């Protein structure tokens, strides 16, 4: 049976840290679905549709295969059932991420009757300090974020 994983997140915007996790996850699983969640946070930079489109553009630009991007308003475990996915991929940058992710993983596992597995990939050291929320602050003050995001994302931000 194919090993299908989801990589859920807000991706507002997608960073080099996210892209690194996507590339590494593709090497592990047969198929990866990047699931972009409705952003309940009022400080959203990009709309749901824009975030999906940007990730699709990055996938095309990088010529990544076996990866798909979809938006969802479902609970991750419900989305997974519909798409026959058994694995959740998440990135871990530091001990705060670890504690947060551990709780989510345990809850997701309980919600899915222990039928899913969460898999954690450690952020590369150069991406450890990188977060979408910090980038949003820099963007609002018109700072240079070119070293932190794929070129496709940078172009979209410049056009905004
Ligand atoms: P969420 O709102 O679900 O935390 P994010 O878009 O912030 O969504 O993050 C999605 C996933 O990507 C999370 O598992 C997060 O830990 C991981 N992630 C975020 N930034 C990085 C990074 N710089 N390096 C590696 N993983 C990251």
């Amino acid at each position: 049976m194919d090993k299908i994983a989801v990589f859920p997140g807000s991706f507002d915007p997608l960073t080099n840290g996210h892209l690194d996790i996507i590339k590494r996850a593709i090497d592990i699983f047969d198929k990866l679905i990047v699931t972009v969640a409705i952003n309940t946070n009022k400080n959203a930079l990009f709309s749901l549709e824009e975030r999906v489109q940007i990730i699709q553009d990055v996938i095309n630009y990088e010529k990544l295969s076996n990866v798909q991007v979809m938006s969802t308003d479902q609970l991750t475990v419900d989305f997974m059932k519909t798409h026959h996915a058994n694995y959740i991929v998440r990135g871990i940058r530091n001990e705060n991420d670890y504690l947060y992710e551990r709780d989510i993983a345990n809850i997701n596992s309980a919600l899915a009757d222990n039928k899913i597995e969460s898999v954690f990939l450690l952020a590369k050291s150069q991406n450890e300090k990188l977060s979408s929320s910090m980038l949003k602050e820099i963007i609002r003050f018109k700072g240079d974020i070119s070293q932190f995001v794929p070129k496709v994302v940078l172009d979209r931000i410049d056009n905004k």
Side-chain angles (χ1 to χ4, degrees), residues 46 50 57 151-160:
F46 288 109
E50 285 174 320
D57 289 349
K151 173 142 180 17
V152 173
V153 179
L154 194 63
D155 292 345
R156 289 293 288 253
I157 292 167
D158 286 346
N159 287 337
K160 215 172 161 77

Side-chain angles (χ1 to χ4, degrees), residues 17-132:
H18 295 131
L19 181 56
D20 178 62
I21 299 291
I22 291 173
K23 287 179 174 173
R24 287 159 61 197
I26 295 171
D27 281 344
I28 301 173
F29 299 101
D30 298 306
K31 180 175 153 187
L32 179 73
I33 309 174
V34 180
T35 59
V36 186
I38 303 276
N39 204 329
T40 44
N41 174 350
K42 286 198 201 84
N43 289 327
L45 177 66
F46 288 109
S47 71
L48 187 64
E49 294 72 28
E50 285 174 320
R51 283 179 276 140
V52 168
Q53 188 57 58
I54 290 170
I55 296 170
Q56 187 61 59
D57 289 349
V58 172
I59 291 169
N60 297 347
Y61 181 82
E62 297 273 339
K63 299 190 169 55
L64 303 179
S65 46
N66 305 329
V67 55
Q68 205 179 337
V69 56
M70 296 174 81
S71 63
T72 177
D73 58 0
Q74 281 184 298
L75 262 182
T76 299
V77 292
D78 292 334
F79 178 92
M80 291 171 74
K81 220 181 261 173
T82 316
H83 293 86
H84 310 291
N86 290 96
Y87 302 89
I88 303 177
V89 174
R90 296 280 286 179
I92 293 202
R93 287 162 292 190
N94 51 45
E95 55 272 43
N96 291 336
D97 273 358
Y98 164 72
L99 292 174
Y100 177 67
E101 295 296 340
R102 187 187 61 183
D103 288 349
I104 299 183
N106 285 333
I107 288 174
N108 280 330
S109 180
L111 284 173
D113 292 332
N114 298 323
K115 291 199 178 73
I116 58 162
E117 200 64 68
S118 291
V119 176
F120 303 106
L121 299 180
L122 291 182
K124 290 264 170 66
S125 56
Q126 68 265 31
N127 296 327
E128 262 171 16
K129 301 279 186 283
L130 192 51
S131 71
S132 296

